[in-house]
Amino acid sequence: MRTSQYLLTTTRETPADAEIISHQLMLRGGFIRRLAAGLYTWLPLGLRVLRKVESIIREEMERTGAQEVLMPAVQPAELWQETGRWEQYGPELLRFTDRHQRPFCFGPTHEEVITDLIRREIRSYKQLPANFYQIQVKFRDEIRPRFGVMRAREFLMKDAYSFHLDQTSLEQTYRQMYEAYSRIFERIGLTFRAVQADTGAIGGQTSHEFHVLAASGEDAIAFSDKSPYAANVELATALPPTGERASPKETLSLVETPKQRTIEEVSQFFNIPPSRCVKTLLVEGSEGGFVALALRGDHELNEVKAQKLPQVASPLQFATPEQVRETCNADVGSIGPIGLDIPLIADHSAAHLTDFVCGANQKGKHFTGANWKRDLPEPITADIRKVVDKDPSPDGKGFLSIARGIEVGHIFQLGEKYSQALNTTVLDETGQAIILTMGCYGIGVSRVVAAAIEQNHDEHGIIWPDPIAPFQLALVPINAHKSVRVRETADQLYSQLQATGFEVLLDDRQLRPGVIFADMDLIGIPHRLVISDRGLDAGTIEYKRRRDGKTSTIQLDNLIPALK
Ligand code: ATP
Ligand code: MG
Ligand code: MG
Ligand code: MG
């Protein structure tokens, strides 16, 4: 590609509304442009990176034998009503009606659609196990879209769904996917960790998240210094030392809060900086909504960001502990602030909870067996690190240390959650219908691009890992408009290098060399070749590696072998 004919728009200024480095550099380097909150256009340069990430993911999915499909982004409400998620999912689900007033949503995830497909398509146990994936646009109406494509509303996801006759088969595929994910992030060149995780709105029992380690990460993850134990702090602090789910007998503290307060005020009331706000559980009871602050023993249950509540229609009423006890009748095992089994706390946004009614309004969906008590322990002002860094590892081996991570992937053992609701069965050897067991596996393809920058940049700009760089080589002729020799050599090398398989960006913009160098550094091209009259006099060209700035002089007639 020649820059003179390429849409390359770089800026020196840091955009005011971009808080984190990846967002800043993606704007400054001309990788993305914002259309509206959480909606981004991928410019040619950015799209090249996105496609590289995509193709590494696709290769590794194919290698596991998963089959690629492409499902519609728009989904009929009926399917979501069948699984109950139409009611449960909350305001992150973008709902709308067509011209016939039929309700639809823009898919935030595709469990319903794939399960519906499979219940129609797969008849016999002989066709299983099977795993289907797609790379496709999702929409989640995030309460606070930010950090550019890192937390967008429309974003690209790779999602896969596997179907099995039994748990053993699910576990095999789950393992395979775990390994495929590890290979994907290794190939991209990221420093990452797989951690045990909460299952959130997707559901199921076992799940792991893949986190790219970076100071800007929105999640905190806990590692043991003496064992392979690693978990999202959400989970690490929510689980008792055995590593099993907390018993319903777990003591929770419930704190009475003043009436009709916003979440910001609640966080103020508890004397917690909004960025370290503890989980506020917003529960809608038959008497109206209330907010409870859940704490486990003398620990913070979780780390949650304070969120605004634009979606709450009526002013909130805050309940007393007595009201909570009454409303949250203990009769179902899996739901509660400790079990973390439910959509309730899926995305840490309290607004999300208003639509997931977990009080008396919905039968069978209650808090369970929590012993609520009135006393508020010490106000939690400490950084989560201080709380958990001191803790022994839940597996009893060593102590925890905390790092920040960006969730780039998440795999789940779903069990029968969707296949049961959508009555998805096959006939086994004896002709008996059995309900399928499922797994699902997501990667935030577009988020990976931003995460890669968080880990790979310096004061001059991005430093792409080679496998996802938009171009591998920047070819920079100095004063080409004055020197025919330089121009011709550049043209020749450009064709030669491309023919050899290199992806080359030839900078023929006739700008000052300093400006070109700064641009090539900013957009992160891993390797740079400079052609100048002075070099050509000596039969050489200059090579510079972006990552460490190391330069060397290469004999022109030995260029291709030297680059390989
Ligand atoms: P998060 O905790 O960041 O909100 P999630 O747990 O809601 O993510 P999943 O339902 O696990 O997301 O979806 C699979 C993957 O999709 C995530 O691991 C993440 O990489 C990506 N993803 C989720 N939400 C967004 C978003 N708003 N923008 C970009 N990528 C996202
Ligand atoms: Mg998450
Ligand atoms: Mg989310
Ligand atoms: Mg997740």
Side-chain angles (χ1 to χ4, degrees):
M1 205 59 72
R2 290 168 185 271
T3 49
S4 58
Q5 281 141 47
Y6 201 62
L7 188 64
L8 178 67
T9 331
T10 55
T11 55
R12 300 279 156 256
E13 306 77 43
T14 302
D17 57 339
E19 295 169 66
I20 60 170
I21 193 74
S22 58
H23 189 194
Q24 293 168 5
L25 292 174
M26 287 181 86
L27 290 171
R28 284 187 50 204
F31 291 85
I32 54 167
R33 287 292 177 260
R34 178 183 183 274
L35 174 64
L39 304 179
Y40 289 88
T41 296
W42 289 83
L43 299 179
L45 198 60
L47 190 61
R48 289 182 74 98
V49 180
L50 189 69
R51 292 283 182 255
K52 295 242 164 124
V53 174
E54 232 183 276
S55 65
I56 291 173
I57 294 173
R58 187 173 274 114
E59 274 172 35
E60 293 301 335
M61 284 298 113
E62 294 288 327
R63 203 211 285 238
T64 67
Q67 306 167 56
E68 187 166 7
V69 293
L70 186 56
M71 294 180 266
V74 173
Q75 310 181 11
E78 290 148 43
L79 277 180
W80 286 70
Q81 282 154 353
E82 237 183 301
T83 60
R85 283 210 293 184
W86 189 253
E87 281 71 40
Q88 290 164 13
Y89 209 90
E92 248 184 47
L93 187 64
L94 177 63
R95 303 154 209 253
F96 46 88
T97 51
D98 69 4
R99 62 165 72 189
H100 309 294
Q101 303 312 312
R102 282 190 285 257
F104 287 86
C105 65
F106 197 114
T109 177
H110 276 71
E111 284 80 12
E112 277 80 0
V113 178
I114 190 78
T115 311
D116 175 61
L117 180 78
I118 294 309
R119 76 175 155 181
R120 294 162 198 276
E121 298 297 325
I122 291 200
R123 293 271 154 261
S124 157
Y125 70 95
K126 289 179 189 153
Q127 296 169 277
L128 296 176
N131 193 2
F132 303 91
Y133 77 98
Q134 64 176 347
I135 296 179
Q136 193 241 20
V137 163
K138 302 281 187 264
F139 191 95
R140 296 182 180 182
D141 204 351
E142 298 279 353
I143 186 165
R144 211 173 146 212
R146 56 185 187 153
F147 303 156
V149 297
M150 187 81 88
R151 182 166 300 284
R153 293 197 297 168
E154 190 179 298
F155 60 95
L156 194 63
M157 196 198 285
K158 184 287 297 177
D159 43 330
Y161 306 87
S162 69
F163 295 85
H164 310 267
L165 293 171
D166 55 35
Q167 176 67 20
T168 313
S169 164
L170 167 61
E171 281 166 19
Q172 261 166 24
T173 300
Y174 187 83
R175 192 74 225 163
Q176 227 177 22
M177 289 312 245
Y178 185 105
E179 282 155 13
Y181 274 40
S182 303
R183 271 198 306 274
I184 287 166
F185 299 123
E186 261 160 38
R187 279 186 60 184
I188 294 175
L190 298 172
T191 306
F192 69 96
R193 285 293 289 261
V195 307
Q196 294 174 34
D198 174 22
T199 54
I202 308 292
Q205 284 298 318
T206 300
S207 94
H208 285 86
E209 288 166 353
F210 288 76
H211 284 268
V212 164
L213 304 183
S216 62
E218 292 188 275
D219 285 278
I221 51 185
F223 314 93
S224 166
D225 56 353
K226 295 259 156 52
S227 77
Y229 179 85
N232 194 308
V233 160
E234 292 173 8
L235 197 74
T237 53
L239 291 177
T242 56
E244 285 159 14
R245 292 197 175 271
S247 87
K249 294 278 175 331
E250 198 70 46
T251 297
L252 296 182
S253 304
L254 179 75
V255 182
E256 207 174 339
T257 58
K259 292 201 170 179
Q260 302 190 5
R261 292 295 170 97
T262 64
I263 286 298
E264 281 80 3
E265 287 171 314
V266 172
S267 90
Q268 237 175 32
F269 174 79
F270 289 118
N271 192 18
I272 297 153
S275 61
R276 287 276 163 264
C277 186
V278 249
K279 187 180 303 275
T280 39
L281 300 175
L282 183 68
V283 182
E284 194 143 310
S286 48
E287 301 294 321
F290 54 78
V291 166
L293 175 71
L295 307 162
R296 178 175 155 246
D298 54 359
H299 270 285
E300 184 174 320
L301 176 72
N302 203 340
E303 183 201 30
V304 172
K305 296 106 207 165
Q307 302 280 12
K308 285 207 179 100
L309 289 169
Q311 315 277 354
V312 177
S314 56
L316 295 175
Q317 301 286 320
F318 294 101
T320 62
E322 284 70 32
Q323 280 173 297
V324 175
R325 199 178 296 118
E326 228 174 79
T327 314
C328 304
N329 221 339
D331 58 9
V332 170
S334 63
I335 291 187
I338 290 283
L340 297 180
D341 238 347
I342 44 168
L344 181 64
I345 24 197
D347 73 344
H348 317 314
S349 88
H352 187 173
L353 311 184
T354 54
D355 275 17
F356 184 79
V357 179
C358 88
N361 293 4
Q362 191 168 330
K363 280 228 156 51
K365 307 260 183 206
H366 304 290
F367 287 132
T368 71
N371 302 315
W372 302 90
K373 63 177 196 201
R374 194 185 265 274
D375 302 334
L376 178 65
E378 289 293 291
I380 301 160
T381 49
D383 188 287
I384 183 89
R385 284 163 179 276
K386 291 182 191 123
V387 179
V388 189
D389 261 341
K390 290 181 195 142
D391 282 359
S393 174
D395 65 2
K397 295 175 193 149
F399 289 87
L400 294 177
S401 56
I402 305 295
R404 301 222 59 101
I406 300 167
E407 181 191 327
V408 287
H410 199 164
I411 59 176
F412 304 77
Q413 292 183 18
L414 293 171
E416 297 179 355
K417 177 172 171 177
Y418 297 93
S419 46
Q420 178 86 261
L422 296 173
N423 194 24
T424 308
T425 60
V426 292
L427 300 179
D428 69 7
E429 292 116 312
T430 66
Q432 210 182 343
I434 51 168
I435 302 229
L436 297 187
T437 297
M438 277 178 72
C440 78
Y441 318 92
I443 293 181
V445 184
S446 43
R447 182 180 283 181
V448 167
V449 175
I453 298 175
E454 289 297 320
Q455 265 187 1
N456 297 281
H457 65 268
D458 63 12
E459 68 275 24
H460 305 297
I462 301 170
I463 309 171
W464 291 114
D466 280 62
I468 60 168
F471 298 92
Q472 284 126 31
L473 263 177
L475 196 55
V476 184
I478 305 283
N479 290 330
H481 53 296
K482 289 187 203 143
S483 164
V484 179
R485 182 169 60 148
V486 166
R487 191 165 63 237
E488 282 177 353
T489 312
D491 286 345
Q492 247 173 35
L493 283 181
Y494 178 59
S495 318
Q496 240 180 49
L497 287 164
Q498 290 204 118
T500 323
F502 287 101
E503 292 168 301
V504 187
L505 187 63
L506 169 61
D507 206 329
D508 56 352
R509 290 178 296 176
Q510 303 196 359
L511 297 171
R512 279 189 296 114
V515 174
I516 293 181
F517 293 158
D519 269 356
M520 295 302 113
D521 279 357
L522 174 63
I523 66 175
I525 311 298
H527 310 280
R528 188 183 82 189
L529 294 174
V530 177
I531 306 158
S532 65
D533 268 321
R534 208 177 42 168
L536 293 182
D537 285 343
T540 62
I541 72 174
E542 186 201 282
Y543 166 84
K544 184 175 167 203
R545 190 160 58 205
R546 173 71 181 90
R547 189 165 290 278
D548 52 13
K550 238 171 109 176
T551 56
S552 57
T553 305
I554 302 178
Q555 289 297 320
L556 194 51
D557 49 18
N558 190 41
L559 180 64
I560 307 273
L563 287 175
K564 280 188 169 166

